[in-house]
Amino acid sequence: MPEHTEPPIAPTEPMMRSLHGVEIVDDYAWMRDTSDPRFLPYVRAERARYDRMTPECVVCRDSPPPGTD
């Protein structure tokens, strides 16, 4: 069983948006800009945690789909 680790916490940066006349707050709109220096480290931390928490999936993740060899 993998060791429990806390997930990375994405920074929030509230941005007001209007969608069909309805005002909404999007806390993660900054992630749309993949050149933001916070983006890649956050995604890498998320992926690292996923890999730690799902070691049984390594075979599925790292192997080609059946019938493609």
Side-chain angles (χ1 to χ4, degrees):
M1 186 72 176
E3 178 185 324
H4 177 73
T5 58
E6 292 299 316
I9 305 299
T12 58
E13 194 174 287
M15 182 176 122
M16 186 66 79
R17 301 178 65 179
S18 179
L19 188 61
H20 303 288
V22 176
E23 296 292 319
I24 61 169
V25 176
D26 183 351
D27 290 334
Y28 303 99
W30 68 268
M31 289 181 151
R32 294 177 195 277
D33 177 9
T34 57
S35 68
D36 186 302
R38 300 171 293 176
F39 181 76
L40 198 53
Y42 173 74
V43 172
R44 285 182 175 152
E46 243 187 15
R47 179 55 192 245
R49 180 174 187 268
Y50 170 80
D51 289 344
R52 284 191 309 275
M53 298 301 291
T54 59
E56 67 279 1
C57 296
V58 167
V59 173
C60 298
R61 264 195 320 261
D62 298 341
S63 301
T68 60
D69 341 0

